[in-house]
Amino acid sequence: PVSNKLNLNAKLNTLGTILPGLNVTDDTQIVTFTINGVSVTTNKSYANSTLNDVMSAINSSSAGVQISFNSLKNQFNITSKTTGADTKITLGDNSENLLDSMGLITGATKTDGVDAIFDLDGVNGMVRTSNDFTIDGVSYTLKSVGGPITINVGVDIDAAVKNIKDFINGYNSLLDTINKKISEQRPKSNGSYYDPLTDDQKSAMKDADVAAWEEKAKQGMLYDDSILTGIVNNLRSAIYNPTSASSWTMSSIGISSTSYTDKGKLTVDEDKLKKALQADFVGVTNLFTKDYSLSYTDTMDSAANKKERYQNVGIAQRISDIVQDAVRTTRNASGYKGTLLEVAGIQGDVTEYDNQLLDQINDKQTLIDKLNNELGDKENYYYTKFTAMETALSQMNSQLAWLSQQFGG
C-alpha cells in the first residue's frame, strides 16, 4: 500500500519519497512502459506527468486492461477487460520502476480469471469464458453461483415493431418508385414531344441544352408499361390476399392503405401492431416470414407449385418471389431470366448485351440500313434515267439544229 498522502495530480518526479522504489534519474524522460506487450505512454516527461496521466494512458490504450485507485486502501488495482481462465496480465516495467513503485508488481495480490461452468437444459458442464453469452439466439447472463434457476424467455416487441416498420417503408419505397414511372407522361414543348435529337441538332446546341432536352425526352418512356403495372398489381395482391401462413391479416395487425391516392402505399398503426404481437408473436411473425417446403426454385417451371407456395408463405416471402420473377438472373427450364432482364437487361449480366430492347434497336437499324440501300438504288435508277433523257434531248437538239440548217433556217 502507498501512503494516504498520495496526490494523483502531483508530478511524478516529486513522488520519489512517497512511491517506494520510484527511480527518476532524468525527469525529461518520456513516461513509457508495456502492458500485455503493448507500449503505453503518457507522451509527457516525468517532470510533466502525473499518476492520473499514467492511469488515463493505460485505460485508453489497446492493452486490454483497466486501472483504478482505491483511496480507502491507498492502492492501485489493474483488471483485465477480458474474462476466463486464459486471461493474463503481463506488466513490463521501465528503468524508473514506475509500475513496481505503484504496487502492481512486487508483493501485488493476483487473482486469476476463471471460466463460467454451468448446466443448461440438461447439458452439464458447459464452459464459457464470460458470464454473458448467447446460445441459439438467446442471451444469458450468469449473476450468481448456485441453482437451479428458471429462465423465462421473452420477446422483444419493440425490435419486432421496428423490423416490420422498416419492411413496410421498403415496400412503400419500391411501390412509389414504380408508380412514379408508370404514371409519368411524356412532356411537350410548343405542342410537340421531346423527340430524340439528331447529331446535327446536337451540334447546333449547347451541351447543357442537349442534356436538358435528353432528360425531358426520357420522361414518360415507361408510362403505363404493362410489365411494371403487372408487378404493382402483384405486390398489392400479395399484401391483401389471405395466406395459410397465419390467421392474421395485414389489416388485423394495423397495416393498411389509408387512401386510394396513396396508390397502394401502406401505413402502420403502431399501437394495434404492438397489441397483435403481444397477443400472438409467432402468428404475426409468420404472417411476414413463414417459408414453405416448396422453394422459389421449385416454382420457376410449375404454375401449380407457384400457386401452392403463394398460398402458404408469409407476405415477405411472396414479395421476394415477385421481385425474383422480375429480376432473376438464373434461367428457368425454357431458358428465360427475370421479365425485366429479358426486356432491358442488367449491367454485368449476359442480358446487358442480349435483351428485347437491343433486339428491337438492332431490327430498326437493320430496317434503316435496308431503306438506305433501297434509297441509294432508287437514286441510281433515276440518275440513270435522267442521264439517258438528257442524252436523248441533246441528240434531238443536234438533229433540230441540222434540220434548221437544211431548210435555210
Side-chain angles (χ1 to χ4, degrees), residues 81-379:
K81 293 180 181 179
T82 59
T83 59
D86 294 333
T87 299
K88 299 188 184 318
I89 299 177
T90 304
L91 302 178
D93 211 351
N94 53 23
S95 59
E96 289 78 13
N97 300 322
L98 175 60
L99 298 182
D100 193 24
S101 69
M102 293 169 64
L104 297 173
I105 298 179
T106 304
T109 302
K110 179 181 179 183
T111 302
D112 293 328
V114 295
D115 292 332
I117 302 176
F118 57 95
D119 302 333
L120 178 64
D121 198 20
V123 180
N124 299 327
M126 300 183 70
V127 179
R128 293 293 184 274
T129 59
S130 171
N131 288 339
D132 299 307
F133 52 88
T134 300
I135 298 177
D136 293 336
V138 179
S139 298
Y140 299 87
T141 299
L142 303 179
K143 296 185 175 180
S144 62
V145 178
I149 60 173
T150 300
I151 299 175
N152 295 318
V153 180
V155 293
D156 191 339
I157 299 295
D158 290 336
V161 169
K162 180 182 182 303
N163 289 336
I164 292 173
K165 289 176 68 176
D166 288 345
F167 170 78
I168 296 301
N169 288 337
Y171 170 85
N172 285 342
S173 178
L174 174 63
L175 206 61
D176 190 47
T177 299
I178 300 176
N179 278 329
K180 284 181 179 178
K181 289 298 182 182
I182 61 179
S183 62
E184 180 183 64
Q185 298 191 32
R186 292 185 64 188
K188 290 183 177 180
S189 175
N190 298 323
S192 300
Y193 292 115
Y194 286 82
D195 291 326
L197 296 170
T198 64
D199 292 338
D200 290 340
Q201 289 173 323
K202 290 180 181 179
S203 63
M205 299 169 63
K206 296 180 180 179
D207 290 344
D209 294 334
V210 171
W213 183 283
E214 291 186 336
E215 182 65 27
K216 289 287 187 181
K218 293 176 182 177
Q219 293 178 11
M221 293 177 63
L222 297 175
Y223 176 72
D224 206 22
D225 180 81
S226 60
I227 295 178
L228 293 180
T229 300
I231 292 174
V232 168
N233 291 336
N234 289 338
L235 289 173
R236 297 179 67 173
S237 296
I239 291 291
Y240 293 109
N241 287 344
T243 170
S244 299
S246 174
S247 60
W248 294 89
T249 64
M250 293 290 273
S251 60
S252 68
I253 64 172
I255 300 175
S256 61
S257 179
T258 57
S259 171
Y260 75 93
T261 59
D262 292 334
K263 297 182 178 180
K265 292 173 66 175
L266 303 173
T267 59
V268 180
D269 183 336
E270 194 166 325
D271 291 336
K272 192 172 183 179
L273 176 58
K274 283 184 177 180
K275 289 180 181 179
L277 286 165
Q278 290 166 349
D280 183 10
F281 186 87
V282 173
V284 174
T285 54
N286 281 344
L287 176 64
F288 290 93
T289 63
K290 188 173 182 181
D291 209 343
Y292 189 60
S293 57
L294 290 174
S295 68
Y296 172 76
T297 304
D298 296 327
T299 69
M300 288 169 53
D301 301 296
S302 171
N305 285 354
K306 181 180 284 290
K307 180 179 180 180
E308 182 178 346
R309 174 174 166 80
Y310 183 88
Q311 292 173 340
N312 288 281
V313 297
I315 290 171
Q317 297 287 348
R318 282 181 176 177
I319 292 177
S320 175
D321 290 357
I322 293 168
V323 173
Q324 285 295 309
D325 284 342
V327 301
R328 184 185 70 245
T329 57
T330 56
R331 299 185 186 276
N332 61 15
S334 300
Y336 293 111
K337 297 193 175 188
T339 51
L340 291 180
L341 269 66
E342 288 292 331
V343 172
I346 188 173
Q347 192 171 17
D349 185 73
V350 66
T351 55
E352 181 179 0
Y353 308 102
D354 182 14
N355 57 68
Q356 293 177 20
L357 288 179
L358 280 179
D359 289 343
Q360 292 177 20
I361 292 172
N362 291 334
D363 289 345
K364 293 296 183 184
Q365 188 60 54
T366 300
L367 177 61
I368 291 171
D369 292 341
K370 178 183 176 183
L371 292 175
N372 281 332
N373 290 333
E374 290 180 355
L375 178 61
D377 291 343
K378 187 62 70 174
E379 287 178 341

